[in-house]
Amino acid sequence: MKIDWPRQDYSRVPYRLHHDEEIYRLEMERIFRGPTWNYLCLEAELPKPHDFRTTWVGDTPVIVSRDKRGDLHAFVNRCSHRGAMIVRELGGNAERLVCLYHRWCYSNAGELTGVPFRQGLKGEGGMPKDFDMRAVSPRKLHVQSLNGVIFGTFSEETEPLEQYLGEFGVGMVKRFFPRPVRILGYSRQRIQGNWKLYAENLRDTYHASLLHEFFVTYGVDRATQKGGVKMDDRHRHNMNHAYAASDSQEEALMAYADTAARLDRMRLRDTKLLEFKNEFPDGMNLAAPTFFPNCLLIQINNTIGTRQIRPKGVDAHEVFQTLYAFADDDEEMLRHRLMSANLVGPAGFVSMEDGEAIEVIQKATKSTQDAYAVIEMGGRGAVKDETHRVTESPIRGFWSYWAELMGVEAPGGIR
């Protein structure tokens, strides 16, 4: 496979990368099943021995579970017999995991432990005498947990998790999970667009102050606020951050001018949704670190959660969101977090707009795959951290690492 990059700094990205079936197949092999750590779920979702959760790595279904000792395991959610999903529920607790089709039975560690009629019936039929159940058990992932966040990898070549995340990434995980958490709920948003468009969206640090008029109008996130972007050394992970009340209404009015932001025309009758109770030492009201290839940690005011990108073919993906609270939150804070959660999710005041923008791109670029996106906001050349958010530098960093893993780097391209 060859990609003709118009520029070495990935400031021009061919549209065909979002439509090519062969590229999608290779992404599943070289990225999601390659030397990367993929976010799986949270330990808080598996509090007891024999608990299990279903999740995805790319388009591969995966089970994460605890054995009777409480040790964590992850393995492919696919019966070794005929390929049916072993588990279809979101989660539960069971000493054995049994496929519905022919009742093949698996342990919480992913070992095939039982096959009905293995010895046949009355001396007839059955499996061959040399049939080895262990040899056909589902493929397992290596699992590591950091502060209760569970990651998995299929590859033997993946570097240790903390090295993969880097000092910056480890610090972000510890910031979001400084103490035990409890799960508040889940949402799923299916978007008819290539998964990389959502990965770009998460690294697009200035679209929120233009696309999301709710954010701009009510001062949740504006480009005029203090903030910036920060990346790991390889530019595969990124954080967009901002500070509430760090600009004035006058500054915003001057900066946004006639861009349709309703800064002086709309007011909320009930402002509880906008309340921000500073609970982190850094004082951020918006923090959104992304971890290549499939994970976002998200704080918008006092709503905190994780988002997982789940590719569903070349032209669709699902965003699976897990909202959580801290285990020591009082009832007032729990209610406040749930109120704030109206900002996010498929029907939230802002999240649905991202999905619409991505779907518009997917439709509009399908017939023009020889053209390319222009990714120059913030400048060309080297990828670097910024003390502002009017930049697309993290997007170019994403494409640089994507190209490295896919074996299609631009000759002499940036890293």
Side-chain angles (χ1 to χ4, degrees):
M1 183 182 69
K2 184 177 184 298
I3 304 296
D4 292 322
W5 298 101
R7 288 188 175 169
Q8 295 177 333
D9 62 358
Y10 303 96
S11 61
R12 297 287 189 273
V13 175
Y15 289 137
R16 83 175 182 92
L17 303 186
H18 301 306
H19 299 276
D20 190 302
E21 294 277 359
E22 177 63 13
I23 288 174
Y24 175 82
R25 185 189 68 78
L26 289 173
E27 287 171 342
M28 298 304 107
E29 174 189 329
R30 298 179 182 180
I31 293 177
F32 289 96
R33 293 191 295 273
T36 62
W37 283 102
N38 290 264
Y39 166 71
L40 299 178
C41 61
L42 301 177
E43 286 201 47
E45 299 172 87
L46 304 160
K48 303 186 299 296
H50 302 305
D51 279 348
F52 66 86
R53 280 276 291 113
T54 52
T55 186
W56 295 79
V57 171
D59 58 10
T60 301
V62 168
I63 298 170
V64 185
S65 61
R66 290 192 189 274
D67 60 24
K68 63 183 179 181
R69 298 182 301 179
D71 294 336
L72 289 168
H73 302 271
F75 52 96
V76 174
N77 186 10
R78 185 184 300 125
C79 183
S80 305
H81 182 210
R82 300 277 287 280
M85 278 190 178
I86 302 167
V87 175
R88 294 181 294 166
E89 302 96 322
L90 177 63
N93 183 281
E95 294 187 18
R96 298 178 300 167
L97 303 173
V98 182
C99 175
L100 66 88
Y101 199 1
H102 296 88
R103 313 301 291 177
W104 282 33
C105 181
Y106 300 85
S107 72
N108 296 108
E111 299 293 342
L112 177 61
T113 59
V115 175
F117 302 118
R118 180 183 176 190
Q119 305 298 328
L121 188 62
K122 296 183 179 180
E124 297 181 322
M127 301 295 284
K129 291 185 179 180
D130 63 351
F131 175 67
D132 183 354
M133 292 196 293
R134 181 176 292 275
V136 299
S137 293
R139 184 178 178 184
K140 296 174 177 59
L141 290 79
H142 299 287
V143 176
Q144 287 191 30
S145 178
L146 177 63
N147 279 47
V149 183
I150 304 172
F151 294 85
T153 181
F154 281 106
S155 176
E156 299 288 341
E157 300 175 2
T158 310
E159 60 204 288
L161 177 61
E162 293 198 10
Q163 183 178 334
Y164 179 79
L165 294 178
E167 182 179 355
F168 150 74
V170 170
M172 284 297 99
V173 172
K174 291 182 177 180
R175 176 202 185 270
F176 272 79
F177 295 90
R179 56 189 191 276
V181 303
R182 58 183 287 189
I183 305 302
L184 295 182
Y186 306 98
S187 70
R188 294 188 297 177
Q189 182 177 5
R190 188 177 179 91
I191 299 174
Q192 300 301 320
N194 186 268
W195 71 273
K196 297 186 296 298
L197 291 173
Y198 193 77
E200 282 189 328
N201 176 272
L202 298 178
R203 293 162 173 82
D204 179 346
T205 58
Y206 80 105
H207 84 273
S209 65
L210 296 168
L211 175 66
H212 304 312
E213 286 193 47
F214 186 95
F215 273 177
V216 179
T217 301
Y218 301 115
V220 178
D221 180 13
R222 295 195 287 226
T224 47
Q225 292 171 337
K226 178 185 175 184
V229 298
K230 184 175 177 59
M231 291 168 274
D232 70 308
D233 292 340
R234 185 53 193 84
H235 313 120
R236 49 190 169 186
H237 317 308
N238 164 72
M239 185 180 72
N240 170 28
H241 65 279
Y243 298 85
S246 58
D247 68 346
S248 68
Q249 196 76 351
E250 291 71 26
E251 286 178 292
L253 281 167
M254 184 179 298
Y256 283 92
D258 297 322
T259 58
R262 297 174 173 86
L263 295 171
D264 55 355
R265 290 179 284 160
M266 295 185 69
R267 294 288 183 271
L268 283 178
R269 291 183 179 179
D270 186 346
T271 59
K272 292 188 181 70
L273 183 67
L274 303 178
E275 290 179 6
F276 169 54
K277 302 177 181 180
N278 188 9
E279 58 180 326
F280 292 99
D282 54 34
M284 298 176 193
N285 79 302
L286 172 70
T290 60
F291 302 117
F292 190 98
N294 76 336
C295 179
L296 168 73
L297 304 182
I298 182 72
Q299 174 209 346
I300 302 176
N301 285 350
N302 295 108
T303 294
I304 45 178
T306 70
R307 294 182 195 170
Q308 182 192 48
I309 305 174
R310 299 176 172 182
K312 300 296 180 185
V314 70
D315 57 0
H317 64 280
E318 179 182 274
V319 178
F320 189 92
Q321 180 166 247
T322 303
L323 296 179
Y324 67 88
F326 293 111
D328 58 4
D329 282 347
D330 58 25
E331 288 302 314
E332 181 182 357
M333 179 56 102
L334 284 175
R335 287 194 298 272
H336 176 55
R337 292 198 197 281
L338 291 170
M339 170 70 76
S340 300
N342 286 291
L343 290 168
V344 297
F349 290 125
V350 293
S351 297
M352 58 183 172
E353 295 164 357
D354 293 315
E356 180 69 9
I358 287 170
E359 292 188 358
V360 168
I361 293 173
Q362 191 75 16
K363 291 174 183 175
T365 58
K366 189 172 184 179
S367 62
T368 57
Q369 296 177 36
D370 58 339
Y372 44 78
V374 176
I375 305 176
E376 290 190 18
M377 186 63 70
R380 307 187 192 104
V383 175
K384 60 184 185 302
D385 295 350
E386 301 283 5
T387 56
H388 62 85
R389 294 180 294 150
V390 188
T391 179
E392 293 171 321
S393 192
I395 299 177
R396 295 192 292 113
F398 167 86
W399 281 110
S400 171
Y401 191 61
W402 178 91
E404 178 185 333
L405 290 183
M406 293 289 286
V408 293
E409 289 182 281
I414 62 168
R415 277 203 173 192

